[in-house]
Amino acid sequence: MKENVPLASLTTFHIGGPARYFTEAQSVEEVKETLAFARANSLSVFVLGGGSNLLVPDGGVDGVVLKMAMRDMNFESDGADTLLITGAGASWDGVVDAAGEKGIFGVENLAGIPGTVGGAVVQNIGAYGAELSNVFEYADVINKETGKISCITFREAEFAYRDSFFKKHREFVITRAVLRMGHDAAANTSYPDLERARASGVPLATPAEVAGAVRAIRAKKFPRIAEEGTAGSFFKNPLVSRELADSLAKRFVGLPLFPQENGMVKISLAWILDKELSLKGFSVGGARLYESQPLVVSARRGATAKDVDALALEVSEKVFDATGIKIEREVE
């Protein structure tokens, strides 16, 4: 257990103050010991994965920051499927590569997303026509308040668009996740960007080929983390009623709409920010909406959490004034 550990370098935003207490857990026993320490000292526990969906306050975190460092990864056959059993601290993109090397379909469309397996499950990451929930089997968890170990199944995980049971119930710490994938599945290239790649001659027959194409597409839309801070898409695409979606489509000609199974409609916030509000490159202090993808907030070195928060608030107000929609943040 270390004290006053700077957190900025442990996040992709490169922003934030120190953790009062900090530790890395490489085993379930170390997680349990950390939680016991926090309970004994009446401290809050904040779980850190890859720091890729996180904005740490400038003043830091008054509690225990628990970084998950369990990175083991194993494949097991289960009939026609393959189960991937992996520690919560494993690199998500490492999971994608490991599956691709074995020719296993299921996660290749989620290539290039920074962060860890645990964070991917909490967020129900999604991109290019796929979501983590498509392959999730179960997760092992520890209750922060009791230290009890249990298992959360797919049925209990309550996955939704960038949401899950784990996001609502922060008393549970994910230690391990199991994903179900298959050799016999076909490549999912229905997303428009991938359809265009196929039409241009990019090979998309194998999981590794799809993952490579997705990374190439993402590289054109997101800042280089080595050069400036970002947490990827900062805002969620709004889910609205069919009635409101139709009304907005009449007002904003060309607005992309994506009907959902539950009757709601997802609308493209990036399109509104770009085509209707002309906010690409809009900045506050050292933070701005990225020029190639306005859902993304990019931060120059030296930018503060206060800059990012102020930018997000201004963008939210402009969207509400134009559409009546209160947009939500993906980044915590």
Side-chain angles (χ1 to χ4, degrees):
M1 188 70 68
K2 301 177 182 178
E3 294 186 55
N4 299 315
V5 174
L7 295 174
S9 64
L10 299 176
T11 76
T12 58
F13 249 137
H14 309 308
I15 286 174
R20 181 180 174 190
Y21 294 100
F22 176 89
T23 187
E24 287 195 34
Q26 299 185 27
S27 68
V28 171
E29 191 58 37
E30 289 181 357
V31 174
K32 293 175 69 175
E33 289 173 359
T34 300
L35 298 180
F37 171 84
R39 288 195 299 271
N41 292 278
S42 301
L43 296 167
S44 298
V45 177
F46 303 90
V47 179
L48 177 65
S52 58
N53 200 47
L54 194 68
L55 179 63
V56 176
D58 297 318
V61 176
D62 186 16
V64 179
V65 172
L66 168 60
K67 182 168 176 59
M68 304 302 286
M70 291 175 284
R71 303 184 179 96
D72 53 298
M73 196 183 304
N74 296 289
F75 291 89
E76 293 183 2
S77 295
D78 186 37
D81 294 336
T82 297
L83 296 180
L84 171 57
I85 304 164
T86 176
S91 158
W92 173 255
D93 219 24
V95 165
V96 174
D97 282 340
E101 288 172 4
K102 292 181 176 293
I104 301 171
F105 284 97
V107 295
E108 60 280 355
N109 290 49
L110 304 176
I113 298 177
T116 60
V117 168
V121 172
V122 171
Q123 182 72 358
N124 187 23
I125 58 172
Y128 301 98
E131 287 186 332
L132 180 131
S133 57
N134 300 148
V135 296
F136 180 84
E137 186 79 357
Y138 67 85
D140 292 331
V141 299
I142 299 178
N143 190 305
K144 291 180 184 178
E145 299 163 4
T146 66
K148 181 181 178 181
I149 297 174
S150 59
C151 172
I152 303 296
T153 65
F154 172 81
R155 185 182 296 275
E156 297 165 321
E158 300 175 6
F159 287 118
Y161 172 59
R162 303 299 179 272
D163 201 6
S164 69
F165 168 90
F166 308 101
K167 207 167 189 178
K168 301 183 185 80
H169 296 273
R170 293 310 177 98
E171 68 269 28
F172 293 105
V173 178
I174 298 172
T175 59
R176 192 174 309 283
V178 177
L179 310 179
R180 180 178 292 275
M181 296 178 283
H183 289 271
D184 298 330
N188 174 7
T189 59
S190 60
Y191 199 83
D193 283 344
L194 288 172
E195 287 184 340
R196 286 190 286 270
R198 181 188 289 281
S200 69
V202 175
L204 298 172
T206 69
E209 288 174 347
V210 174
V214 167
R215 290 189 180 104
I217 294 167
R218 290 180 63 87
K220 298 175 182 178
K221 295 184 177 182
F222 294 91
R224 289 171 56 88
I225 293 175
E227 298 174 359
E228 52 187 329
T230 185
S233 295
F234 195 91
F235 304 100
K236 297 180 181 180
N237 285 305
L239 291 173
V240 302
S241 66
R242 179 82 252 184
E243 181 181 16
L244 178 55
D246 291 341
S247 173
L248 291 171
K250 290 178 182 178
R251 290 174 53 201
F252 306 132
V253 178
L255 173 65
L257 304 178
F258 304 93
Q260 306 296 295
E261 291 181 0
N262 62 1
M264 301 291 282
V265 178
K266 182 165 65 176
I267 65 174
S268 173
L269 179 58
W271 190 93
I272 291 173
L273 295 175
D274 179 17
K275 304 299 183 183
E276 290 300 322
L277 299 179
S278 301
L279 288 179
K280 281 185 176 180
F282 176 70
S283 65
V284 173
R288 74 185 191 283
L289 296 188
Y290 192 54
E291 291 79 4
S292 298
Q293 170 51 278
L295 280 185
V296 172
V297 173
S298 184
R300 297 196 304 268
R301 295 305 173 102
T304 64
K306 185 178 180 181
D307 291 340
V308 176
D309 189 54
L311 171 68
L313 286 172
E314 282 205 40
V315 170
S316 298
E317 290 173 2
K318 291 178 184 295
V319 172
F320 181 77
D321 290 342
T323 67
I325 297 172
K326 294 182 179 180
I327 58 175
E328 297 180 48
R329 300 181 183 187
E330 274 195 38
V331 173
E332 298 181 21

